[in-house]
Amino acid sequence: MKLKYLAIAAILCVSMANDTLAQVINGQIKTNTGEPLVGASIVEMDTQNGEVTDVNGNFSLEVSKLPVQLIASFIGFKSDTLTVSSAAFLSVTLAEETEVIGEVVIESSSTFIDPISPIMSQVLTEKELEKAACCNLSESFETNASVDVSFTDAVSGGKVIRVLGLDGRYVQLNRENLPNVRGLISRYGLGFISGTWIQSIDVGKGTGSVTTGYESMSGHINLEFKKPKAPESLYVNSYVNNFGRTELNVNKTFDISDAWSGAILFHSDYFGSEIDRNDDGFMDLPKSRQLNLLNRYGYSKGRWIAQLGIHLMTDEKSGGQLGFDFGDDLQTSNVYGFRNDTKRVELFGKTFLSYPDKPYKGLGFIYSLSHVQIDGGFGRNIYEGEESTFYGNLIHQSIIGNSFHQYKAGTSIMVDDFDEQYQDSVFQRREIVPGAYFEYAYVPGLRFSLVAGARLDHHNLYGNFFLPRLHLKYDFSDRWILRGSAGRGFRTPNVITEGYQFLISSRRLNILNDPLPEVSWNMGGSLLYNGEAAKKTFNIVADYYYTTFTNQLIFDRDNASDQLRVYNLEGQSYAHSFQLEVDRKLSEKLKIKSAYKYYDVRSTINGVLREVPGVAKHRFFTNVSYATRFEKWKLDGTVQWFSRMRMPDTGDKAEVFQRPATSTSFALVNMQVSRGFRKGNIYIGVENLFDFRQENPIIDPEDPFGSNFDASLVWGPVAGRVIYAGFRYKIKAKK
């Protein structure tokens, strides 16, 4: 009997010991102004056990026992060694480095998958963005496999992104959790964001959190801009390419008082050359000029943190046949022209109330008020559009009992006022969409987390929309991590701006029925092998997502080459997306990242389920990075291969104006070399190294006002090789 009690006691002791030894420390790393540090490291002293912070500066680290010594670090900030004796929430504040030092070895990763979030999310840091020229947001994804970028047509120079094989209009693109590229600027808005303004990009696949809105259908991208308390007090970037495009960027931060600080972000670019390398009489790229200014202020004192800013932008584009210039009148010009003059003003801000004695609790309000005016058109077709938008989001976060049970609850409102005119048709509507949401997170430890949320939005024109969303993460071990998600999203389409590129042709717009909101379900997941945890030199991630639409707006170019037929979905529409990516560190100096992607994207077009035009079913991607010691010299190269794509049917045209049913496969190679100095670097690079160009991208360019003209059948580069050079100059902020 004594042996029996001794055995029970021994088992209890072992169990208690195990509970005592296995501890999970949750916390946040931030600056002394309260800004979260993205990608900061928290490491157990004298071990390889560590984590990096997510986009909110949060981390979750499992340690073998308590007390334990942890080291928190981030580039440009003083490292801090902490002795932790309990599993209470740990709030870490890092001070910025004030000493002038020589050369520093930078060990941070340029990209990383958020280690804590159950949402599949890859963060691109400023270091990753500097691997390419990154003039604007559309060029910020060149070294990333998850986002595809392509031209829309052979005249406007517009670019669109694709995530999970679907058009970028199904991606919710936010700036610091405020809706940004949407509405009337959804087609050209990527070019309205300077790459030098971006601190990091969070690329998420699948449905997003209910807290950020209802428009996340295939993915979500959140941009973090440079803050008033940025590490540099002055940042200057200049760029020029062989076509004659020039660009100047200046970021300046300044202190106003102990509580207030400010920043001015300035961008300008100009391109006035007429480039026609294929001799079809049309400019391969439109002329353009842009002025872009963002002025923001930050406040931090006591329990209050706030930001306030204003964004002003004017952008002019002028393209078409040679000789068409800025300010020319489309209707009186004797050549085919393209114009798109956009003016935008935005007032935005956020206010956050913290509870120092309850770091898990907070109350925040973010808001944006903007106005867009567009004057433009193509050929003899005039387009004018105005959009006024207000967005507000009030969010409260706290816990239920303990930190294992967390929640966010809030209410939001989106108001859009549209006034558009195309040819002799007027399109006016006012959308008012109030909504409420609740999101529950179960985080019992490092291995498992669950986020379940739902929101209910009421559209004044289309009624109620209930959007449930679920995200899961389970760590089988330090090496294997599984994520899964499912959810519903909706958006209201804008026929003219979203079909703009298809109308740069002789096609007549034919809207067959009133457009209804687009509604979709998305589900999928990812499996990550973390080689670093096993002291290997590579990581592998495989993901699969399925998106299906219950309603979608179809832009039909297949059944009448003289029309753009627009109608609501009648039948199936879906997208299968699979990606396998391997990130390997061959040495301290050499890293390689490779990926393969497979898309199967189909929609019911005029009663037939067909592949969506312009989507490459197979794509290979490889990025190689090499850096000498202290990153004095850096070399980055990217190779992308695209398989054949289905193109719209042109069989009803005369034979001379017909085009093949599929494109050709092709590859693009980009390279950049940079030389680092104490206060910046100089760089030179090339895009499309082997000068691949789509042959005859325009049908019947000799008669652009005739019935056969079409510049919308673009699947590859038009202008060809681009050689560029520039410099970056930085002065660190004094503290």
Side-chain angles (χ1 to χ4, degrees), residues 668-702:
L668 299 176
V669 179
N670 299 339
M671 297 187 68
Q672 178 179 280
V673 179
S674 64
R675 170 64 162 87
F677 298 95
R678 189 167 178 268
K679 291 187 177 182
N681 60 55
I682 57 175
Y683 57 91
I684 184 170
V686 58
E687 298 174 357
N688 194 358
L689 175 65
F690 298 108
D691 197 29
F692 175 81
R693 287 177 287 157
Q694 178 181 342
E695 294 183 358
N696 303 318
I698 300 178
I699 297 178
D700 199 14
E702 293 81 9

mmCIF file of all heavy atoms in Angstrom, residues 668-702:
data_model
loop_
_atom_site.group_PDB
_atom_site.id
_atom_site.type_symbol
_atom_site.label_atom_id
_atom_site.label_comp_id
_atom_site.label_asym_id
_atom_site.label_seq_id
_atom_site.Cartn_x
_atom_site.Cartn_y
_atom_site.Cartn_z
ATOM 1 N N LEU A 668 11.050 36.388 -67.054
ATOM 2 C CA LEU A 668 11.572 37.723 -66.786
ATOM 3 C C LEU A 668 12.693 37.625 -65.755
ATOM 4 O O LEU A 668 12.581 36.862 -64.787
ATOM 5 C CB LEU A 668 10.476 38.646 -66.258
ATOM 6 C CG LEU A 668 9.272 38.895 -67.168
ATOM 7 C CD1 LEU A 668 8.241 39.761 -66.453
ATOM 8 C CD2 LEU A 668 9.700 39.535 -68.473
ATOM 9 N N VAL A 669 13.754 38.400 -65.966
ATOM 10 C CA VAL A 669 14.899 38.406 -65.057
ATOM 11 C C VAL A 669 15.170 39.838 -64.618
ATOM 12 O O VAL A 669 15.321 40.732 -65.457
ATOM 13 C CB VAL A 669 16.160 37.821 -65.725
ATOM 14 C CG1 VAL A 669 17.342 37.868 -64.759
ATOM 15 C CG2 VAL A 669 15.903 36.388 -66.185
ATOM 16 N N ASN A 670 15.202 40.072 -63.313
ATOM 17 C CA ASN A 670 15.541 41.374 -62.738
ATOM 18 C C ASN A 670 16.791 41.236 -61.876
ATOM 19 O O ASN A 670 16.974 40.220 -61.200
ATOM 20 C CB ASN A 670 14.400 41.908 -61.875
ATOM 21 C CG ASN A 670 13.117 42.112 -62.647
ATOM 22 O OD1 ASN A 670 13.123 42.234 -63.875
ATOM 23 N ND2 ASN A 670 12.003 42.157 -61.943
ATOM 24 N N MET A 671 17.630 42.254 -61.885
ATOM 25 C CA MET A 671 18.852 42.233 -61.077
ATOM 26 C C MET A 671 19.119 43.623 -60.517
ATOM 27 O O MET A 671 18.770 44.637 -61.139
ATOM 28 C CB MET A 671 20.056 41.775 -61.904
ATOM 29 C CG MET A 671 19.969 40.351 -62.428
ATOM 30 S SD MET A 671 21.496 39.815 -63.230
ATOM 31 C CE MET A 671 22.581 39.741 -61.806
ATOM 32 N N GLN A 672 19.756 43.656 -59.343
ATOM 33 C CA GLN A 672 20.167 44.924 -58.739
ATOM 34 C C GLN A 672 21.446 44.733 -57.938
ATOM 35 O O GLN A 672 21.602 43.734 -57.218
ATOM 36 C CB GLN A 672 19.070 45.484 -57.827
ATOM 37 C CG GLN A 672 19.467 46.798 -57.136
ATOM 38 C CD GLN A 672 18.383 47.358 -56.261
ATOM 39 O OE1 GLN A 672 17.442 47.981 -56.731
ATOM 40 N NE2 GLN A 672 18.510 47.140 -54.958
ATOM 41 N N VAL A 673 22.361 45.692 -58.065
ATOM 42 C CA VAL A 673 23.598 45.726 -57.281
ATOM 43 C C VAL A 673 23.622 47.025 -56.495
ATOM 44 O O VAL A 673 23.310 48.093 -57.044
ATOM 45 C CB VAL A 673 24.842 45.643 -58.189
ATOM 46 C CG1 VAL A 673 26.113 45.713 -57.350
ATOM 47 C CG2 VAL A 673 24.830 44.370 -59.013
ATOM 48 N N SER A 674 23.954 46.939 -55.210
ATOM 49 C CA SER A 674 24.032 48.152 -54.401
ATOM 50 C C SER A 674 25.340 48.182 -53.616
ATOM 51 O O SER A 674 25.874 47.135 -53.238
ATOM 52 C CB SER A 674 22.842 48.254 -53.443
ATOM 53 O OG SER A 674 22.852 47.196 -52.506
ATOM 54 N N ARG A 675 25.844 49.375 -53.396
ATOM 55 C CA ARG A 675 27.076 49.598 -52.627
ATOM 56 C C ARG A 675 26.720 50.436 -51.417
ATOM 57 O O ARG A 675 26.202 51.551 -51.535
ATOM 58 C CB ARG A 675 28.103 50.318 -53.502
ATOM 59 C CG ARG A 675 29.349 50.827 -52.772
ATOM 60 C CD ARG A 675 30.190 49.694 -52.181
ATOM 61 N NE ARG A 675 31.545 50.113 -51.858
ATOM 62 C CZ ARG A 675 31.938 50.677 -50.706
ATOM 63 N NH1 ARG A 675 31.033 50.900 -49.750
ATOM 64 N NH2 ARG A 675 33.195 51.003 -50.515
ATOM 65 N N GLY A 676 26.938 49.857 -50.218
ATOM 66 C CA GLY A 676 26.560 50.523 -48.991
ATOM 67 C C GLY A 676 27.629 51.449 -48.460
ATOM 68 O O GLY A 676 28.836 51.186 -48.594
ATOM 69 N N PHE A 677 27.187 52.524 -47.871
ATOM 70 C CA PHE A 677 28.061 53.478 -47.195
ATOM 71 C C PHE A 677 27.480 53.748 -45.808
ATOM 72 O O PHE A 677 26.411 53.251 -45.462
ATOM 73 C CB PHE A 677 28.173 54.788 -47.987
ATOM 74 C CG PHE A 677 28.783 54.618 -49.353
ATOM 75 C CD1 PHE A 677 27.972 54.452 -50.465
ATOM 76 C CD2 PHE A 677 30.159 54.609 -49.526
ATOM 77 C CE1 PHE A 677 28.517 54.296 -51.722
ATOM 78 C CE2 PHE A 677 30.719 54.445 -50.782
ATOM 79 C CZ PHE A 677 29.906 54.282 -51.886
ATOM 80 N N ARG A 678 28.188 54.521 -45.043
ATOM 81 C CA ARG A 678 27.783 54.752 -43.657
ATOM 82 C C ARG A 678 26.412 55.424 -43.578
ATOM 83 O O ARG A 678 25.635 55.151 -42.671
ATOM 84 C CB ARG A 678 28.825 55.609 -42.953
ATOM 85 C CG ARG A 678 28.620 55.749 -41.447
ATOM 86 C CD ARG A 678 29.850 56.342 -40.782
ATOM 87 N NE ARG A 678 29.635 56.527 -39.363
ATOM 88 C CZ ARG A 678 29.182 57.657 -38.824
ATOM 89 N NH1 ARG A 678 28.898 58.683 -39.605
ATOM 90 N NH2 ARG A 678 29.014 57.766 -37.519
ATOM 91 N N LYS A 679 26.078 56.268 -44.539
ATOM 92 C CA LYS A 679 24.812 56.993 -44.486
ATOM 93 C C LYS A 679 23.905 56.669 -45.672
ATOM 94 O O LYS A 679 23.103 57.499 -46.086
ATOM 95 C CB LYS A 679 25.072 58.501 -44.428
ATOM 96 C CG LYS A 679 25.697 58.947 -43.115
ATOM 97 C CD LYS A 679 25.778 60.459 -43.022
ATOM 98 C CE LYS A 679 26.328 60.900 -41.667
ATOM 99 N NZ LYS A 679 26.377 62.390 -41.544
ATOM 100 N N GLY A 680 24.023 55.454 -46.192
ATOM 101 C CA GLY A 680 23.123 55.097 -47.274
ATOM 102 C C GLY A 680 23.778 54.165 -48.276
ATOM 103 O O GLY A 680 24.712 53.428 -47.955
ATOM 104 N N ASN A 681 23.287 54.206 -49.509
ATOM 105 C CA ASN A 681 23.847 53.354 -50.550
ATOM 106 C C ASN A 681 23.509 53.917 -51.921
ATOM 107 O O ASN A 681 22.635 54.781 -52.069
ATOM 108 C CB ASN A 681 23.345 51.914 -50.418
ATOM 109 C CG ASN A 681 21.834 51.790 -50.515
ATOM 110 O OD1 ASN A 681 21.217 52.232 -51.478
ATOM 111 N ND2 ASN A 681 21.225 51.186 -49.505
ATOM 112 N N ILE A 682 24.228 53.423 -52.921
ATOM 113 C CA ILE A 682 23.898 53.694 -54.307
ATOM 114 C C ILE A 682 23.556 52.360 -54.954
ATOM 115 O O ILE A 682 24.043 51.306 -54.520
ATOM 116 C CB ILE A 682 25.047 54.388 -55.063
ATOM 117 C CG1 ILE A 682 26.334 53.542 -55.007
ATOM 118 C CG2 ILE A 682 25.300 55.777 -54.505
ATOM 119 C CD1 ILE A 682 27.461 54.105 -55.840
ATOM 120 N N TYR A 683 22.717 52.385 -55.958
ATOM 121 C CA TYR A 683 22.291 51.132 -56.563
ATOM 122 C C TYR A 683 22.098 51.310 -58.067
ATOM 123 O O TYR A 683 21.821 52.404 -58.564
ATOM 124 C CB TYR A 683 20.988 50.628 -55.922
ATOM 125 C CG TYR A 683 19.830 51.590 -55.987
ATOM 126 C CD1 TYR A 683 18.934 51.568 -57.055
ATOM 127 C CD2 TYR A 683 19.618 52.535 -54.970
ATOM 128 C CE1 TYR A 683 17.862 52.438 -57.116
ATOM 129 C CE2 TYR A 683 18.548 53.409 -55.032
ATOM 130 C CZ TYR A 683 17.676 53.367 -56.099
ATOM 131 O OH TYR A 683 16.626 54.238 -56.169
ATOM 132 N N ILE A 684 22.255 50.209 -58.774
ATOM 133 C CA ILE A 684 22.000 50.156 -60.203
ATOM 134 C C ILE A 684 21.339 48.823 -60.494
ATOM 135 O O ILE A 684 21.682 47.805 -59.875
ATOM 136 C CB ILE A 684 23.297 50.338 -61.031
ATOM 137 C CG1 ILE A 684 22.966 50.379 -62.535
ATOM 138 C CG2 ILE A 684 24.301 49.239 -60.718
ATOM 139 C CD1 ILE A 684 24.159 50.793 -63.385
ATOM 140 N N GLY A 685 20.371 48.831 -61.395
ATOM 141 C CA GLY A 685 19.647 47.595 -61.632
ATOM 142 C C GLY A 685 19.058 47.533 -63.026
ATOM 143 O O GLY A 685 19.100 48.505 -63.794
ATOM 144 N N VAL A 686 18.487 46.382 -63.336
ATOM 145 C CA VAL A 686 17.840 46.176 -64.618
ATOM 146 C C VAL A 686 16.595 45.327 -64.405
ATOM 147 O O VAL A 686 16.616 44.364 -63.638
ATOM 148 C CB VAL A 686 18.789 45.516 -65.637
ATOM 149 C CG1 VAL A 686 19.316 44.177 -65.125
ATOM 150 C CG2 VAL A 686 18.111 45.312 -66.984
ATOM 151 N N GLU A 687 15.516 45.709 -65.045
ATOM 152 C CA GLU A 687 14.287 44.926 -65.052
ATOM 153 C C GLU A 687 14.084 44.367 -66.459
ATOM 154 O O GLU A 687 14.304 45.063 -67.446
ATOM 155 C CB GLU A 687 13.087 45.795 -64.656
ATOM 156 C CG GLU A 687 13.185 46.359 -63.247
ATOM 157 C CD GLU A 687 12.066 47.328 -62.923
ATOM 158 O OE1 GLU A 687 11.247 47.611 -63.829
ATOM 159 O OE2 GLU A 687 12.012 47.818 -61.784
ATOM 160 N N ASN A 688 13.677 43.098 -66.530
ATOM 161 C CA ASN A 688 13.499 42.441 -67.826
ATOM 162 C C ASN A 688 14.834 42.422 -68.582
ATOM 163 O O ASN A 688 14.962 42.968 -69.688
ATOM 164 C CB ASN A 688 12.408 43.135 -68.643
ATOM 165 C CG ASN A 688 11.948 42.316 -69.830
ATOM 166 O OD1 ASN A 688 12.459 41.235 -70.096
ATOM 167 N ND2 ASN A 688 10.992 42.853 -70.562
ATOM 168 N N LEU A 689 15.815 41.782 -67.979
ATOM 169 C CA LEU A 689 17.195 41.788 -68.463
ATOM 170 C C LEU A 689 17.306 41.390 -69.933
ATOM 171 O O LEU A 689 18.074 41.988 -70.698
ATOM 172 C CB LEU A 689 18.041 40.849 -67.591
ATOM 173 C CG LEU A 689 19.497 40.626 -68.022
ATOM 174 C CD1 LEU A 689 20.286 41.931 -67.923
ATOM 175 C CD2 LEU A 689 20.145 39.547 -67.143
ATOM 176 N N PHE A 690 16.570 40.386 -70.356
ATOM 177 C CA PHE A 690 16.698 39.878 -71.720
ATOM 178 C C PHE A 690 15.692 40.514 -72.685
ATOM 179 O O PHE A 690 15.491 40.014 -73.794
ATOM 180 C CB PHE A 690 16.579 38.352 -71.717
ATOM 181 C CG PHE A 690 17.667 37.686 -70.928
ATOM 182 C CD1 PHE A 690 17.398 37.093 -69.700
ATOM 183 C CD2 PHE A 690 18.968 37.679 -71.388
ATOM 184 C CE1 PHE A 690 18.400 36.492 -68.958
ATOM 185 C CE2 PHE A 690 19.982 37.081 -70.656
ATOM 186 C CZ PHE A 690 19.705 36.482 -69.446
ATOM 187 N N ASP A 691 15.067 41.609 -72.247
ATOM 188 C CA ASP A 691 14.270 42.464 -73.117
ATOM 189 C C ASP A 691 13.121 41.708 -73.794
ATOM 190 O O ASP A 691 12.855 41.884 -74.986
ATOM 191 C CB ASP A 691 15.170 43.108 -74.183
ATOM 192 C CG ASP A 691 14.505 44.307 -74.859
ATOM 193 O OD1 ASP A 691 13.672 44.955 -74.204
ATOM 194 O OD2 ASP A 691 14.813 44.578 -76.041
ATOM 195 N N PHE A 692 12.417 40.876 -73.009
ATOM 196 C CA PHE A 692 11.262 40.185 -73.588
ATOM 197 C C PHE A 692 10.107 41.175 -73.749
ATOM 198 O O PHE A 692 9.809 41.952 -72.846
ATOM 199 C CB PHE A 692 10.816 39.023 -72.704
ATOM 200 C CG PHE A 692 9.567 38.356 -73.205
ATOM 201 C CD1 PHE A 692 9.630 37.425 -74.220
ATOM 202 C CD2 PHE A 692 8.317 38.706 -72.690
ATOM 203 C CE1 PHE A 692 8.477 36.828 -74.708
ATOM 204 C CE2 PHE A 692 7.162 38.106 -73.169
ATOM 205 C CZ PHE A 692 7.249 37.170 -74.186
ATOM 206 N N ARG A 693 9.448 41.123 -74.924
ATOM 207 C CA ARG A 693 8.309 41.990 -75.191
ATOM 208 C C ARG A 693 7.224 41.206 -75.918
ATOM 209 O O ARG A 693 7.524 40.369 -76.769
ATOM 210 C CB ARG A 693 8.720 43.191 -76.047
ATOM 211 C CG ARG A 693 9.544 44.231 -75.303
ATOM 212 C CD ARG A 693 9.978 45.340 -76.229
ATOM 213 N NE ARG A 693 11.029 44.914 -77.137
ATOM 214 C CZ ARG A 693 11.295 45.486 -78.306
ATOM 215 N NH1 ARG A 693 10.524 46.488 -78.727
ATOM 216 N NH2 ARG A 693 12.278 45.065 -79.067
ATOM 217 N N GLN A 694 5.993 41.505 -75.587
ATOM 218 C CA GLN A 694 4.873 40.917 -76.307
ATOM 219 C C GLN A 694 4.809 41.512 -77.705
ATOM 220 O O GLN A 694 4.799 42.740 -77.878
ATOM 221 C CB GLN A 694 3.558 41.178 -75.562
ATOM 222 C CG GLN A 694 2.330 40.650 -76.275
ATOM 223 C CD GLN A 694 1.040 40.947 -75.530
ATOM 224 O OE1 GLN A 694 1.069 41.250 -74.337
ATOM 225 N NE2 GLN A 694 -0.084 40.879 -76.226
ATOM 226 N N GLU A 695 4.742 40.663 -78.697
ATOM 227 C CA GLU A 695 4.659 41.133 -80.069
ATOM 228 C C GLU A 695 3.239 41.591 -80.392
ATOM 229 O O GLU A 695 2.261 40.975 -79.993
ATOM 230 C CB GLU A 695 5.071 40.024 -81.043
ATOM 231 C CG GLU A 695 6.532 39.617 -80.928
ATOM 232 C CD GLU A 695 6.903 38.567 -81.963
ATOM 233 O OE1 GLU A 695 6.013 38.155 -82.727
ATOM 234 O OE2 GLU A 695 8.077 38.155 -81.995
ATOM 235 N N ASN A 696 3.150 42.704 -81.111
ATOM 236 C CA ASN A 696 1.866 43.227 -81.592
ATOM 237 C C ASN A 696 0.804 43.261 -80.497
ATOM 238 O O ASN A 696 -0.255 42.620 -80.602
ATOM 239 C CB ASN A 696 1.356 42.386 -82.766
ATOM 240 C CG ASN A 696 2.355 42.315 -83.910
ATOM 241 O OD1 ASN A 696 2.971 43.317 -84.258
ATOM 242 N ND2 ASN A 696 2.523 41.120 -84.472
ATOM 243 N N PRO A 697 1.047 43.998 -79.411
ATOM 244 C CA PRO A 697 0.074 44.012 -78.310
ATOM 245 C C PRO A 697 -1.234 44.718 -78.664
ATOM 246 O O PRO A 697 -2.234 44.510 -77.983
ATOM 247 C CB PRO A 697 0.822 44.754 -77.201
ATOM 248 C CG PRO A 697 1.792 45.626 -77.931
ATOM 249 C CD PRO A 697 2.215 44.849 -79.140
ATOM 250 N N ILE A 698 -1.235 45.544 -79.719
ATOM 251 C CA ILE A 698 -2.439 46.286 -80.105
ATOM 252 C C ILE A 698 -2.958 45.752 -81.434
ATOM 253 O O ILE A 698 -2.198 45.598 -82.395
ATOM 254 C CB ILE A 698 -2.143 47.792 -80.219
ATOM 255 C CG1 ILE A 698 -1.642 48.352 -78.872
ATOM 256 C CG2 ILE A 698 -3.393 48.551 -80.655
ATOM 257 C CD1 ILE A 698 -1.282 49.821 -78.918
ATOM 258 N N ILE A 699 -4.243 45.480 -81.486
ATOM 259 C CA ILE A 699 -4.887 45.073 -82.737
ATOM 260 C C ILE A 699 -5.288 46.324 -83.528
ATOM 261 O O ILE A 699 -5.939 47.224 -82.991
ATOM 262 C CB ILE A 699 -6.137 44.212 -82.467
ATOM 263 C CG1 ILE A 699 -5.740 42.903 -81.759
ATOM 264 C CG2 ILE A 699 -6.879 43.902 -83.755
ATOM 265 C CD1 ILE A 699 -6.913 42.021 -81.406
ATOM 266 N N ASP A 700 -4.861 46.386 -84.780
ATOM 267 C CA ASP A 700 -5.183 47.466 -85.704
ATOM 268 C C ASP A 700 -4.812 48.849 -85.152
ATOM 269 O O ASP A 700 -5.660 49.749 -85.075
ATOM 270 C CB ASP A 700 -6.672 47.437 -86.065
ATOM 271 C CG ASP A 700 -6.971 48.227 -87.339
ATOM 272 O OD1 ASP A 700 -6.012 48.559 -88.069
ATOM 273 O OD2 ASP A 700 -8.151 48.512 -87.591
ATOM 274 N N PRO A 701 -3.535 49.064 -84.789
ATOM 275 C CA PRO A 701 -3.141 50.382 -84.278
ATOM 276 C C PRO A 701 -3.192 51.475 -85.346
ATOM 277 O O PRO A 701 -3.221 52.663 -85.003
ATOM 278 C CB PRO A 701 -1.707 50.147 -83.795
ATOM 279 C CG PRO A 701 -1.209 49.007 -84.632
ATOM 280 C CD PRO A 701 -2.406 48.122 -84.840
ATOM 281 N N GLU A 702 -3.222 51.090 -86.636
ATOM 282 C CA GLU A 702 -3.277 52.090 -87.706
ATOM 283 C C GLU A 702 -4.633 52.792 -87.773
ATOM 284 O O GLU A 702 -4.738 53.900 -88.303
ATOM 285 C CB GLU A 702 -2.978 51.432 -89.062
ATOM 286 C CG GLU A 702 -1.557 50.917 -89.222
ATOM 287 C CD GLU A 702 -1.355 49.556 -88.575
ATOM 288 O OE1 GLU A 702 -2.382 48.947 -88.151
ATOM 289 O OE2 GLU A 702 -0.206 49.088 -88.463
#
